[in-house]
Amino acid sequence: PRLFLSPLCCRCKELKYSKDLPQISIIFIFVNEALSVILRSVHSAVNHTPAHLLKEIILVDDNSDEEELKAPLEEYVNKRYPGLVKVVRNQKREGLIRARIEGWKAATGHVTGFFDAHVEFTAGWAEPVLSRIQENRRRVILPSIDNIKQDNFEVQRYENSAHGYSWELWCMYISPPKDWWDAGDPSLPIRYVAWPAR
C-alpha cells in the first residue's frame, strides 16, 4: 500500500508559518522498490515542498538487484532534477537503520526527514513539521500518514492520533493523552507517552 503524507491536521492549513524555516533533506530508503513508485515519491516531494525549504532529496539504495534502479534511475534524476537529487548506494545490504545513517551522512540540510520510498506528500506538509522543529530542535516529528487502500485507492485518514510501538516493535496508531484532548487544539504536538514496562 502507498502511504499518503498529509499535514498534521486541518487547523495546520490555517496557521501562518515563518518564511525563515530550516531547510530539509528528504531521505528515501529503498531496496528493489519499483522505479515508478520511487519517482512518484520524488515528484511528489518536489511538487509539494516549497523550493526554499527543500535542500535536497537523497535516495539510498540498500543494494537493490533490479537493473532499472541503477543507471536508469540515476540518469533520470540527474536530467530531471540536476543537483537536487542524490543517489547513495550501499555496496551490500545494510538494513533500514544503517541505510538511514548513510543517507544522514550525505545530507546537508538543517533537518533530515526519513521516509519510505512509497509515500506521497500533500501541499502544506512541510511547514507544520519544520515549524515544530524550529521551536524545539529536540523534537521528533511524524506527521499524519494516511493509507491509500490498494484495492480502491480510497484514502484512509489517521488524524488526531500518534504513532506508538508495541514491545514487539509493531507500529500502531494510538489515541493522544487526555491533556492533549483537553487543550482543544489539534495542531499541538502530541507528546510521546512511553508504554509501561513489561
Side-chain angles (χ1 to χ4, degrees):
R2 290 189 58 79
L3 301 173
F4 190 68
L5 187 70
S6 61
L8 295 171
C9 68
C10 293
R11 184 162 185 273
C12 291
K13 296 175 188 176
E14 301 167 3
L15 298 174
K16 299 293 182 213
Y17 299 98
S18 167
K19 298 291 182 198
D20 188 31
L21 293 171
Q23 288 187 310
I24 188 167
S25 295
I26 294 176
I27 301 170
F28 292 118
I29 311 298
F30 67 92
V31 59
N32 293 327
E33 188 92 46
L35 177 61
S36 62
V37 171
I38 295 169
L39 294 179
R40 187 168 171 166
S41 296
V42 169
H43 293 310
S44 169
V46 170
N47 292 338
H48 293 110
T49 308
H52 72 284
L53 298 179
L54 181 58
K55 179 67 173 181
E56 64 207 343
I57 297 173
I58 299 169
L59 304 175
V60 181
D61 177 5
D62 196 20
N63 202 289
S64 295
D65 304 316
E66 301 294 326
E67 285 303 314
E68 72 176 357
L69 298 177
K70 298 187 184 322
L73 171 62
E74 289 203 41
E75 290 168 7
Y76 182 88
V77 297
N78 289 338
K79 182 177 180 182
R80 181 76 187 255
Y81 301 112
L84 182 63
V85 179
K86 303 174 186 175
V87 180
V88 173
R89 297 196 184 276
N90 290 338
Q91 298 307 306
K92 64 177 185 165
R93 188 110 355 120
E94 297 288 353
L96 179 61
I97 300 305
R98 286 189 179 133
R100 286 179 174 171
I101 291 170
E102 291 305 311
W104 175 78
K105 287 178 185 176
T108 61
H110 287 101
V111 173
T112 51
F114 298 94
F115 300 94
D116 292 335
H118 49 264
V119 298
E120 291 190 38
F121 298 84
T122 57
W125 80 272
E127 294 89 337
V129 169
L130 296 173
S131 176
R132 292 298 185 196
I133 292 170
Q134 188 177 51
E135 290 170 5
N136 181 348
R137 68 180 186 83
R138 294 178 13 170
R139 283 187 176 145
V140 175
I141 305 293
L142 182 63
S144 295
I145 299 178
D146 301 326
N147 183 43
I148 299 177
K149 295 181 181 177
Q150 62 186 14
D151 53 341
N152 62 9
F153 296 104
E154 178 187 341
V155 175
Q156 185 177 6
R157 307 263 314 157
Y158 291 110
E159 287 185 312
N160 299 339
S161 60
H163 270 77
Y165 293 90
S166 69
W167 283 105
E168 292 79 27
L169 295 181
W170 286 102
C171 179
M172 64 186 108
Y173 287 97
I174 57 176
S175 183
K178 184 179 181 319
D179 62 341
W180 184 86
W181 289 106
D182 290 345
D185 183 355
S187 69
L188 292 175
I190 300 169
R191 185 171 173 79
Y192 171 75
V193 178
W195 287 98
R198 293 200 297 181

